[in-house]
Coordinates of all heavy atoms in Angstrom, one line a residue:
M9 N -32.7 10.7 12.5 CA -33.4 9.9 11.5 C -32.6 8.7 11.2 O -31.4 8.7 11.2 CB -33.5 10.7 10.2 CG -34.3 12.0 10.3 SD -36.1 11.8 10.2 CE -36.4 11.5 8.5
A10 N -33.3 7.6 10.9 CA -32.7 6.3 10.6 C -32.7 6.2 9.1 O -33.5 6.8 8.4 CB -33.4 5.2 11.2
N11 N -31.8 5.4 8.5 CA -31.8 5.1 7.1 C -32.0 3.6 6.9 O -31.7 2.8 7.7 CB -30.4 5.4 6.5 CG -30.1 6.9 6.6 OD1 -30.8 7.7 6.0 ND2 -29.0 7.2 7.2
G12 N -32.7 3.3 5.8 CA -32.9 1.9 5.5 C -33.5 1.8 4.1 O -33.6 2.7 3.3
K13 N -33.9 0.5 3.7 CA -34.4 0.3 2.4 C -35.6 -0.6 2.5 O -35.7 -1.4 3.5 CB -33.4 -0.2 1.4 CG -32.9 -1.6 1.7 CD -31.9 -2.1 0.7 CE -31.4 -3.4 1.0 NZ -30.4 -3.9 0.1
V14 N -36.6 -0.5 1.6 CA -37.8 -1.3 1.6 C -37.4 -2.7 1.4 O -36.8 -3.1 0.4 CB -38.8 -0.8 0.6 CG1 -40.0 -1.7 0.6 CG2 -39.2 0.7 0.9
D15 N -37.7 -3.6 2.4 CA -37.4 -5.0 2.2 C -38.6 -5.8 1.6 O -38.4 -6.7 0.9 CB -37.0 -5.6 3.6 CG -36.6 -7.0 3.6 OD1 -35.8 -7.3 2.7 OD2 -37.0 -7.8 4.5
F16 N -39.8 -5.3 2.0 CA -41.0 -6.0 1.5 C -42.1 -4.9 1.4 O -42.2 -4.0 2.3 CB -41.4 -7.1 2.5 CG -42.8 -7.6 2.2 CD1 -43.0 -8.6 1.2 CD2 -43.9 -7.1 2.9 CE1 -44.3 -9.0 1.0 CE2 -45.2 -7.6 2.7 CZ -45.4 -8.6 1.7
F17 N -42.9 -5.0 0.3 CA -44.0 -4.1 0.2 C -45.2 -4.8 -0.4 O -45.1 -5.5 -1.4 CB -43.7 -2.9 -0.7 CG -44.9 -1.9 -0.8 CD1 -45.3 -1.2 0.3 CD2 -45.5 -1.7 -2.0 CE1 -46.4 -0.3 0.2 CE2 -46.6 -0.9 -2.1 CZ -47.0 -0.2 -1.0
N18 N -46.4 -4.7 0.3 CA -47.6 -5.3 -0.2 C -48.5 -4.1 -0.7 O -49.1 -3.4 0.1 CB -48.3 -6.0 0.9 CG -49.6 -6.6 0.5 OD1 -50.5 -6.0 -0.1 ND2 -49.8 -7.9 0.9
N19 N -48.5 -4.0 -2.1 CA -49.3 -2.8 -2.6 C -50.8 -3.0 -2.4 O -51.5 -2.0 -2.4 CB -48.9 -2.5 -4.0 CG -49.2 -3.7 -5.0 OD1 -49.6 -4.7 -4.6 ND2 -48.9 -3.4 -6.2
T20 N -51.3 -4.2 -2.3 CA -52.7 -4.4 -2.1 C -53.1 -3.9 -0.7 O -54.1 -3.2 -0.5 CB -53.1 -5.9 -2.2 OG1 -52.7 -6.3 -3.5 CG2 -54.6 -6.1 -2.1
G21 N -52.3 -4.2 0.3 CA -52.6 -3.8 1.7 C -52.0 -2.5 2.1 O -52.4 -1.9 3.1
G22 N -51.1 -2.0 1.2 CA -50.5 -0.6 1.5 C -49.5 -0.6 2.7 O -49.4 0.4 3.3
Y23 N -48.9 -1.7 2.9 CA -47.9 -1.8 4.1 C -46.7 -2.6 3.6 O -46.6 -3.2 2.6 CB -48.6 -2.5 5.3 CG -48.8 -4.0 5.1 CD1 -47.8 -4.9 5.4 CD2 -50.0 -4.4 4.5 CE1 -48.0 -6.2 5.2 CE2 -50.2 -5.7 4.3 CZ -49.2 -6.7 4.6 OH -49.4 -8.0 4.4
G24 N -45.6 -2.5 4.5 CA -44.4 -3.2 4.2 C -43.5 -3.1 5.4 O -43.8 -2.7 6.5
F25 N -42.2 -3.5 5.1 CA -41.2 -3.5 6.1 C -39.9 -2.9 5.6 O -39.6 -3.1 4.4 CB -40.9 -5.0 6.6 CG -42.1 -5.5 7.4 CD1 -43.1 -6.2 6.7 CD2 -42.2 -5.3 8.7 CE1 -44.2 -6.8 7.4 CE2 -43.3 -5.8 9.4 CZ -44.3 -6.5 8.7
I26 N -39.2 -2.2 6.4 CA -37.9 -1.6 6.1 C -36.8 -2.3 6.8 O -36.9 -2.5 8.0 CB -38.0 -0.1 6.5 CG1 -39.1 0.6 5.8 CG2 -36.6 0.6 6.1 CD1 -39.4 2.0 6.4
E27 N -35.8 -2.6 6.0 CA -34.6 -3.2 6.6 C -33.6 -2.0 7.0 O -33.4 -1.1 6.2 CB -33.9 -4.1 5.6 CG -32.6 -4.7 6.0 CD -32.0 -5.5 4.9 OE1 -32.6 -5.9 3.9 OE2 -30.8 -5.8 5.1
T28 N -33.1 -2.1 8.2 CA -32.2 -1.0 8.7 C -31.2 -1.6 9.7 O -31.5 -2.6 10.3 CB -33.1 0.1 9.4 OG1 -32.2 1.1 9.9 CG2 -33.9 -0.4 10.5
E29 N -30.1 -0.9 9.8 CA -29.1 -1.3 10.8 C -29.4 -0.7 12.2 O -28.8 -1.1 13.1 CB -27.7 -0.8 10.3 CG -27.2 -1.5 9.1 CD -25.9 -1.0 8.6 OE1 -25.3 -0.2 9.3 OE2 -25.5 -1.4 7.5
D30 N -30.3 0.2 12.2 CA -30.7 0.9 13.5 C -31.6 0.1 14.4 O -31.9 0.5 15.5 CB -31.2 2.3 13.2 CG -30.2 3.2 12.5 OD1 -29.0 3.0 12.7 OD2 -30.7 4.1 11.8
A31 N -32.2 -1.0 13.9 CA -33.2 -1.7 14.7 C -32.9 -3.2 14.5 O -32.4 -3.6 13.4 CB -34.6 -1.4 14.2
D32 N -33.1 -4.0 15.5 CA -32.8 -5.5 15.4 C -33.8 -6.1 14.4 O -33.5 -7.1 13.7 CB -33.0 -6.1 16.8 CG -31.9 -5.7 17.7 OD1 -30.8 -5.3 17.2 OD2 -32.1 -5.7 18.9
D33 N -35.1 -5.7 14.4 CA -36.1 -6.2 13.6 C -36.4 -5.3 12.4 O -36.1 -4.1 12.5 CB -37.4 -6.5 14.3 CG -37.2 -7.5 15.5 OD1 -36.5 -8.5 15.3 OD2 -37.8 -7.2 16.6
D34 N -36.9 -5.8 11.3 CA -37.4 -4.9 10.3 C -38.5 -4.0 10.9 O -39.2 -4.3 11.8 CB -38.0 -5.7 9.1 CG -36.9 -6.4 8.3 OD1 -35.7 -6.1 8.5 OD2 -37.3 -7.1 7.3
V35 N -38.6 -2.8 10.3 CA -39.5 -1.8 10.8 C -40.7 -1.7 9.9 O -40.6 -1.6 8.7 CB -38.8 -0.4 10.8 CG1 -39.7 0.7 11.3 CG2 -37.5 -0.5 11.7
F36 N -41.9 -1.9 10.5 CA -43.2 -1.8 9.8 C -43.5 -0.4 9.3 O -43.1 0.6 10.0 CB -44.3 -2.3 10.8 CG -45.7 -2.2 10.2 CD1 -46.2 -3.1 9.3 CD2 -46.4 -1.1 10.5 CE1 -47.4 -3.0 8.8 CE2 -47.7 -0.9 10.0 CZ -48.2 -1.9 9.1
F37 N -44.1 -0.3 8.2 CA -44.6 1.0 7.7 C -46.0 0.8 7.0 O -46.2 -0.3 6.5 CB -43.7 1.8 6.8 CG -43.5 1.2 5.4 CD1 -44.4 1.6 4.4 CD2 -42.6 0.2 5.2 CE1 -44.3 1.0 3.1 CE2 -42.4 -0.3 3.9 CZ -43.3 0.1 2.9
H38 N -46.8 1.8 7.0 CA -48.0 1.8 6.3 C -48.1 3.0 5.4 O -47.6 4.1 5.9 CB -49.3 1.8 7.2 CG -50.5 1.4 6.5 ND1 -51.2 2.3 5.8 CD2 -51.2 0.2 6.4 CE1 -52.3 1.7 5.3 NE2 -52.3 0.4 5.6
M39 N -48.6 2.9 4.2 CA -48.6 4.1 3.3 C -49.3 5.3 3.9 O -49.0 6.4 3.5 CB -49.2 3.7 2.0 CG -48.3 2.8 1.1 SD -46.6 3.5 0.8 CE -47.0 5.0 -0.1
E40 N -50.2 5.1 4.9 CA -50.8 6.3 5.5 C -49.7 7.1 6.2 O -49.9 8.3 6.4 CB -51.9 5.9 6.5 CG -51.4 5.1 7.7 CD -52.5 4.6 8.6 OE1 -53.7 4.4 8.1 OE2 -52.3 4.3 9.7
D41 N -48.6 6.5 6.6 CA -47.5 7.2 7.2 C -46.6 7.8 6.2 O -45.7 8.6 6.6 CB -46.7 6.3 8.2 CG -47.6 5.6 9.2 OD1 -48.5 6.3 9.8 OD2 -47.4 4.5 9.5
V42 N -46.7 7.4 5.0 CA -45.7 7.9 3.9 C -46.4 8.9 3.0 O -45.8 10.0 2.8 CB -45.3 6.7 3.1 CG1 -44.3 7.1 2.0 CG2 -44.6 5.6 4.0
G43 N -47.5 8.6 2.5 CA -48.2 9.5 1.5 C -47.5 9.4 0.2 O -46.4 8.9 0.0
G44 N -48.1 9.9 -0.9 CA -47.6 9.9 -2.2 C -47.7 8.5 -2.8 O -48.4 7.6 -2.4
P45 N -46.9 8.3 -3.9 CA -46.9 7.0 -4.6 C -46.4 5.9 -3.8 O -45.6 6.1 -2.9 CB -46.1 7.3 -5.9 CG -45.2 8.4 -5.5 CD -45.9 9.2 -4.5
D46 N -46.8 4.7 -4.2 CA -46.4 3.5 -3.5 C -44.9 3.4 -3.5 O -44.2 3.8 -4.5 CB -47.0 2.2 -4.1 CG -48.4 2.0 -3.7 OD1 -49.0 2.8 -2.9 OD2 -49.1 1.2 -4.4
L47 N -44.3 2.8 -2.5 CA -42.9 2.5 -2.4 C -42.6 1.2 -3.1 O -43.4 0.4 -3.4 CB -42.4 2.4 -0.9 CG -42.6 3.6 -0.1 CD1 -42.3 3.3 1.4 CD2 -41.8 4.8 -0.6
E48 N -41.3 1.0 -3.5 CA -40.9 -0.2 -4.2 C -39.8 -0.9 -3.4 O -39.0 -0.2 -2.7 CB -40.3 0.2 -5.6 CG -41.3 0.8 -6.5 CD -40.6 1.2 -7.8 OE1 -39.5 0.7 -8.2 OE2 -41.3 2.0 -8.6
E49 N -39.8 -2.2 -3.5 CA -38.7 -3.0 -2.8 C -37.4 -2.5 -3.2 O -37.1 -2.2 -4.4 CB -38.9 -4.5 -3.0 CG -40.2 -5.0 -2.3 CD -40.4 -6.4 -2.5 OE1 -39.5 -7.2 -3.0 OE2 -41.5 -6.9 -2.2
G50 N -36.5 -2.3 -2.3 CA -35.1 -1.8 -2.5 C -35.0 -0.3 -2.5 O -33.9 0.2 -2.5
Q51 N -36.1 0.4 -2.4 CA -36.1 1.9 -2.4 C -35.5 2.4 -1.0 O -35.8 1.9 0.0 CB -37.5 2.5 -2.5 CG -37.5 4.0 -2.7 CD -38.9 4.4 -3.2 OE1 -39.8 3.7 -3.2 NE2 -39.0 5.7 -3.4
E52 N -34.5 3.3 -1.1 CA -33.9 3.9 0.1 C -34.8 5.0 0.8 O -35.4 5.8 0.1 CB -32.5 4.4 -0.2 CG -31.6 3.2 -0.6 CD -30.2 3.7 -0.9 OE1 -29.9 4.9 -0.6 OE2 -29.3 2.8 -1.2
L53 N -34.8 5.0 2.1 CA -35.6 5.9 2.9 C -34.9 6.4 4.1 O -34.0 5.8 4.6 CB -36.9 5.1 3.4 CG -37.7 4.3 2.4 CD1 -38.7 3.4 3.2 CD2 -38.4 5.2 1.5
E54 N -35.4 7.6 4.6 CA -35.0 8.1 5.9 C -36.3 8.1 6.7 O -37.4 8.4 6.1 CB -34.5 9.5 5.8 CG -33.1 9.6 5.2 CD -32.5 11.0 5.3 OE1 -33.1 11.9 5.9 OE2 -31.5 11.2 4.7
F55 N -36.2 7.8 8.0 CA -37.5 7.8 8.8 C -37.1 7.8 10.2 O -35.9 7.6 10.6 CB -38.2 6.5 8.4 CG -37.4 5.2 8.6 CD1 -37.4 4.5 9.7 CD2 -36.6 4.8 7.6 CE1 -36.7 3.4 9.9 CE2 -35.8 3.7 7.7 CZ -35.9 3.0 8.8
E56 N -38.1 8.0 11.1 CA -37.9 7.9 12.5 C -38.6 6.6 12.9 O -39.5 6.1 12.3 CB -38.6 9.1 13.2 CG -37.9 10.4 12.9 CD -38.5 11.6 13.5 OE1 -39.3 11.4 14.5 OE2 -38.2 12.7 13.1
I57 N -38.1 6.0 14.0 CA -38.7 4.7 14.5 C -39.4 5.0 15.9 O -38.8 5.6 16.8 CB -37.6 3.7 14.8 CG1 -36.8 3.4 13.4 CG2 -38.2 2.4 15.3 CD1 -35.6 2.5 13.6
E58 N -40.6 4.5 15.9 CA -41.4 4.6 17.2 C -41.8 3.2 17.6 O -41.9 2.3 16.8 CB -42.6 5.6 17.1 CG -43.7 5.0 16.2 CD -44.9 5.9 16.2 OE1 -44.8 7.1 16.4 OE2 -46.0 5.4 16.0
D59 N -41.9 3.1 18.9 CA -42.4 1.8 19.4 C -43.9 1.7 19.3 O -44.6 2.7 19.6 CB -42.0 1.6 20.9 CG -40.5 1.4 21.1 OD1 -39.9 0.8 20.2 OD2 -40.0 1.9 22.1
S60 N -44.4 0.6 18.9 CA -45.8 0.4 18.8 C -46.1 -1.0 19.5 O -45.2 -1.8 19.7 CB -46.3 0.4 17.3 OG -45.9 -0.8 16.7
P61 N -47.4 -1.3 19.8 CA -47.7 -2.5 20.5 C -47.2 -3.8 19.7 O -46.9 -4.8 20.3 CB -49.2 -2.5 20.5 CG -49.6 -1.1 20.5 CD -48.6 -0.4 19.6
K62 N -47.1 -3.7 18.4 CA -46.7 -4.9 17.6 C -45.2 -4.8 17.2 O -44.7 -5.6 16.4 CB -47.5 -5.0 16.4 CG -49.0 -5.3 16.7 CD -49.8 -5.5 15.5 CE -51.2 -5.8 15.8 NZ -52.1 -6.0 14.6
G63 N -44.5 -3.8 17.7 CA -43.0 -3.7 17.3 C -42.7 -2.4 16.7 O -43.6 -1.5 16.7
P64 N -41.5 -2.2 16.2 CA -41.1 -0.9 15.7 C -41.9 -0.5 14.5 O -42.2 -1.3 13.6 CB -39.6 -1.1 15.4 CG -39.4 -2.5 15.3 CD -40.4 -3.2 16.1
R65 N -42.2 0.8 14.4 CA -43.0 1.3 13.3 C -42.3 2.6 12.8 O -41.9 3.5 13.5 CB -44.4 1.6 13.7 CG -45.3 2.1 12.6 CD -46.7 2.2 12.9 NE -47.5 2.7 11.8 CZ -48.8 2.4 11.6 NH1 -49.4 1.7 12.5 NH2 -49.4 2.9 10.6
A66 N -42.2 2.8 11.4 CA -41.6 3.9 10.8 C -42.6 5.1 10.8 O -43.8 4.9 10.5 CB -41.1 3.6 9.4
T67 N -42.1 6.3 11.1 CA -42.9 7.5 11.0 C -42.0 8.5 10.3 O -40.8 8.4 10.2 CB -43.3 8.0 12.4 OG1 -42.2 8.3 13.1 CG2 -44.2 7.1 13.1
N68 N -42.7 9.6 9.8 CA -42.0 10.7 9.1 C -41.1 10.1 8.0 O -39.9 10.5 7.9 CB -41.2 11.5 10.1 CG -42.1 12.2 11.1 OD1 -43.2 12.6 10.8 ND2 -41.6 12.2 12.4
V69 N -41.6 9.2 7.2 CA -40.8 8.6 6.1 C -40.6 9.5 5.0 O -41.5 10.2 4.5 CB -41.6 7.3 5.6 CG1 -40.8 6.6 4.5 CG2 -41.8 6.3 6.8
V70 N -39.3 9.6 4.6 CA -38.9 10.5 3.4 C -38.2 9.6 2.4 O -37.2 8.9 2.8 CB -38.0 11.6 3.9 CG1 -37.5 12.5 2.8 CG2 -38.7 12.5 5.0
R71 N -38.5 9.7 1.2 CA -37.8 9.0 0.1 C -36.5 9.6 -0.2 O -36.4 10.9 -0.2 CB -38.6 9.0 -1.2 CG -39.9 8.2 -1.1 CD -40.8 8.6 -2.2 NE -42.0 7.8 -2.3 CZ -43.2 8.1 -1.6 NH1 -43.2 9.2 -0.9 NH2 -44.2 7.3 -1.7
N72 N -35.5 8.8 -0.4 CA -34.1 9.4 -0.8 C -34.0 9.4 -2.3 O -34.5 8.7 -3.0 CB -33.0 8.5 -0.2 CG -32.8 8.8 1.3 OD1 -33.3 9.7 1.8 ND2 -32.1 7.9 1.9

């Protein structure tokens, strides 16, 4: 599992990006992969990173 924090979150679109030391680029996430209440910028997370056609994407996201 990788660790990071929410760098950006668009609550209207339900997506955002996670800043992490484990990936060169910020990691995309969508709330459909998270579930529960919306995330907030600066919130710490644990997650797995998978490759997607548009770049790294977070899966199995867990709030810390």
Side-chain angles (χ1 to χ4, degrees):
M9 298 280 284
N11 294 303
K13 65 179 180 180
V14 178
D15 186 43
F16 169 81
F17 181 68
N18 179 313
N19 60 355
T20 303
Y23 68 90
F25 293 90
I26 302 168
E27 178 182 343
T28 178
E29 295 178 5
D30 297 333
D32 293 335
D33 298 321
D34 284 353
V35 180
F36 174 83
F37 72 89
H38 195 280
M39 286 305 296
E40 69 187 19
D41 301 323
V42 179
D46 287 348
L47 299 175
E48 297 179 15
E49 291 180 12
Q51 188 169 7
E52 294 185 1
L53 308 168
E54 286 187 11
F55 55 95
E56 294 180 15
I57 301 172
E58 71 176 26
D59 290 327
S60 73
K62 295 184 179 180
R65 182 171 179 152
T67 61
N68 302 319
V69 179
V70 178
R71 295 166 173 86
N72 284 346

